[in-house]
Amino acid sequence: MAVNVVNYNEIVQELQLQNAELVAVSKLQPVEAIQALYNLGQKDFGENYVQELLHKQPLLPEDLRWHFIGHLQRNKVKYIVPFVHLIHGVDSFNLLKEINKQGRKINRVIPCLLQIHIATEDTKFGMDEAELKEVMDVLATGSADLTFVNVRGLMGMASFTDNEETVSREMGRLKKLFDNYCNVNTSNCHFDVLSMGMSGDYKIAIKEGSTMVRIGSLLFGARATTLQ
Ligand SMILES: *Cc1c(COP(=O)(O)O)cnc(C)c1O
């Protein structure tokens, strides 16, 4: 349950120098640990599972900003749209449309990131470049009504490997895509967030231009493998 305060302070300082933000990934961590980190000043937390997030959210301070970073099923979107701060894992056009639909129902614009598949492993979710282009074309031209989403950028996960060159290359590709679409500037799409980097590769991510890292184990220690 303990939070690693030394790591937290180090990471916060490092990120401040680079103008990058920290999302503390609290999946499978108890609310006491989240509260402890919140008490140190951390406001942004990331969760992967809808059920777990719905359990924790009412037990923690209201101004805590919840990021949804996991794979989101369309039938669960409605549960998180009332309060979610940023959905990182939008990996299909259909999911984006569902978020828009649920946002409209409660008259709330939902901030989103499009998840791009950059790793060589095919176990990771995300759009390829063609799917991204399709979504971006629609957003840029306003050819579909997507007024209840606000697409703020891209998210990606590099391969799990010790090979730093591979990780750098994959992240560099994501940064390039991000830069390519930075000129799109409409009422519901304007890129200002590039979410990449985790405990094992956040230093590389910052070098490659990340503006938001998602860090769990360095802050909270190892995770339980199942829900408590
Ligand atoms: C779990 C998770 C993280 C954090 O992983 P750590 O290695 O514990 O830092 C970051 N991003 C996503 C999408 C995750 O699922």
Side-chain angles (χ1 to χ4, degrees):
M1 171 180 325
V3 165
N4 191 323
V5 180
V6 174
N7 280 357
Y8 175 66
N9 288 333
E10 253 178 47
I11 291 168
V12 165
Q13 272 193 358
E14 207 175 347
L15 295 178
Q16 259 165 11
L17 289 173
Q18 310 287 337
N19 264 324
E21 291 179 85
L22 171 65
V23 175
V25 176
S26 51
K27 62 173 174 239
L28 305 173
Q29 303 294 348
V31 289
E32 292 80 3
I34 300 174
Q35 181 71 55
L37 199 56
Y38 175 93
N39 293 345
L40 294 175
Q42 179 64 23
K43 287 287 186 295
D44 294 89
F45 289 85
E47 290 282 341
N48 289 58
Y49 310 105
V50 170
Q51 197 188 351
E52 184 181 353
L53 174 55
L54 294 176
H55 166 75
K56 288 172 171 175
Q57 188 264 340
L59 303 174
L60 285 152
E62 239 180 279
D63 66 342
L64 190 157
R65 296 189 289 257
W66 292 107
H67 296 243
F68 194 82
I69 64 168
H71 179 63
L72 182 57
Q73 288 170 294
R74 269 185 280 162
N75 61 354
K76 300 213 171 135
V77 169
K78 57 178 175 287
Y79 302 116
I80 66 169
V81 289
F83 64 88
V84 72
H85 178 70
L86 181 63
I87 300 177
H88 291 231
V90 180
D91 60 359
S92 74
F93 203 173
N94 281 333
L95 178 58
L96 189 69
K97 287 178 194 162
E98 176 65 18
I99 295 168
N100 183 64
K101 181 177 156 195
Q102 297 300 333
R104 181 192 306 281
K105 277 191 190 165
I106 59 168
N107 196 31
R108 178 169 191 251
V109 174
I110 314 301
C112 296
L113 303 178
L114 304 176
Q115 183 174 358
I116 309 304
H117 186 271
I118 54 169
T120 46
E121 300 128 52
D122 43 55
T123 48
K124 287 182 179 140
F125 296 102
M127 301 181 193
D128 60 25
E129 290 185 25
E131 290 169 290
L132 172 64
K133 183 175 186 307
E134 187 196 342
V135 175
M136 292 307 296
D137 284 349
V138 171
L139 286 166
T141 58
S143 57
D145 185 0
L146 291 168
T147 41
F148 286 90
V149 292
N150 179 19
V151 178
R152 293 189 53 190
L154 304 179
M155 177 267 209
M157 286 168 92
S159 298
F160 280 117
T161 169
D162 292 336
N163 187 330
E164 296 197 0
E165 261 175 54
T166 302
V167 173
S168 283
R169 190 180 60 241
E170 291 172 357
M171 289 179 167
R173 235 191 85 211
L174 186 61
K175 165 72 166 145
K176 211 168 155 213
L177 286 172
F178 179 82
D179 288 342
N180 280 349
Y181 288 111
C182 267
N183 62 335
V184 175
N185 195 354
T186 65
S187 56
N188 62 340
C189 182
H190 174 64
F191 279 13
D192 64 347
V193 178
L194 178 55
S195 168
M196 62 180 190
M198 311 175 28
S199 291
D201 59 16
Y202 81 93
K203 286 176 195 279
I204 303 175
I206 290 169
K207 265 196 224 139
E208 295 296 335
S210 171
T211 72
M212 189 177 273
V213 299
R214 310 173 308 267
I215 295 182
S217 17
L218 280 180
L219 302 174
F220 293 109
R223 281 181 284 277
T225 48
T226 54
L227 284 173
Q228 306 298 303

